[in-house]
Amino acid sequence: MQRTIRRTLPIRMVALSLLPPPNSFAPKAPFGFGAFVIDPKCRGEASFALHMHGYGAGHDPAPMRDAIRALFDPDTMALICALSLPPAGEHAPAPFPEAYLDIVPRIGLRRNLFAPLPRHILASAGRVGGLDLPEIEPTPLARLGQIGCEAQAAWIFWLQAYCPVNHRRKLLASYLAWRQLQRARLQPASAIRKRS
C-alpha cells in the first residue's frame, strides 16, 4: 500500500501562499507567507504542519526567504498558490510572478507546481476543509491573518483536482482529524481567557 501512495503522491509537499515583499521601487508594505507541510504516510494517512509568518513594512525580506527554504528538503514539492483575477473571456495561463522567483527555493528532485487561483475558487476549496476565507480581496494586514488558511485551501484544491479518489478521501479525513486536534489544542487557552 505504501508503494502505491508514493507513486501517485509526492513524498513531501509544501503548499505556499505568499504575500511577497514589495520591490525596491514600490511603497513599503507588510508581507509574509503561509506554508502547509504535508508528509504522506502509509495507509492514506499524513502528518501536517502549518507555518505562518508576517513581516512589517520595511522589514528585511531575507528572514522570510530563509524560513521558507528551511521547510524544503530534496524530496519536497512546492505547490505555490498565487491569487489571480478570474479570467475574462479566453483563459490564458497566468505567468509565474517574478516576485516569487527569489522566494521559493529551487532545490531537490521535485518540480514546483504553480497554481494561479481566483479567490472565489480558493474560498470554495477552503469550505471543504472547514476554512473561512473571504471571496473578496482583503487588505494586506487582513490577508496576513488568513495566509495559513490560504495555503491549506490551495492544498485542498490540489487534492480535489489531481489526486485519485481513494487517496483524496483518506488524506482529507486525515486532514480534518488534524484540524480537530488543532482546534482542541487552542480551546483551553480561550476558555481560560473567558474566565478571567
Side-chain angles (χ1 to χ4, degrees):
M1 185 77 157
Q2 190 171 1
R3 266 185 169 168
T4 306
I5 291 171
R6 291 200 172 195
R7 262 194 311 236
T8 57
L9 298 174
I11 293 172
R12 187 167 190 273
M13 178 180 269
V14 175
L16 286 170
S17 184
L18 301 167
L19 180 58
N23 66 41
S24 52
F25 303 109
K28 292 179 180 178
F31 58 94
F33 74 94
F36 186 54
V37 181
I38 306 97
D39 283 305
K41 308 293 181 195
C42 61
R43 287 172 282 190
E45 296 176 1
S47 64
F48 304 98
L50 181 61
H51 304 268
M52 297 175 294
H53 297 283
Y55 303 88
H59 198 278
D60 179 14
M64 176 171 150
R65 291 186 196 103
D66 294 341
I68 291 173
R69 286 187 178 117
L71 299 172
F72 284 76
D73 64 30
D75 288 325
T76 304
M77 180 196 315
L79 172 67
I80 304 146
C81 171
L83 296 174
S84 65
L85 297 172
E90 287 186 34
H91 178 67
F96 189 82
E98 286 188 32
Y100 291 15
L101 291 175
D102 191 38
I103 298 170
V104 181
R106 292 177 294 277
I107 60 168
L109 309 171
R110 302 282 170 173
R111 66 189 176 105
N112 292 341
L113 301 175
F114 176 55
L117 296 173
R119 184 161 281 284
H120 72 282
I121 299 288
L122 194 69
S124 178
R127 283 192 289 276
V128 172
L131 302 166
D132 186 24
L133 288 170
E135 294 192 14
I136 56 168
E137 186 66 30
T139 65
L141 279 177
R143 186 155 173 237
L144 284 176
Q146 67 195 24
I147 206 157
C149 290
E150 289 178 4
Q152 293 171 72
W155 176 74
I156 292 169
F157 173 82
W158 175 84
L159 193 68
Q160 291 179 311
Y162 298 105
C163 276
V165 175
N166 57 335
H167 294 309
R168 183 187 323 151
R169 286 182 185 143
K170 290 174 184 174
L171 283 170
L172 191 56
S174 187
Y175 165 74
L176 292 172
W178 174 82
R179 288 255 309 144
Q180 287 294 96
L181 286 171
Q182 295 301 105
R183 278 195 212 118
R185 284 187 189 137
L186 295 175
Q187 208 166 23
S190 60
I192 291 168
R193 278 190 228 120
K194 285 180 184 174
R195 285 187 207 146
S196 50

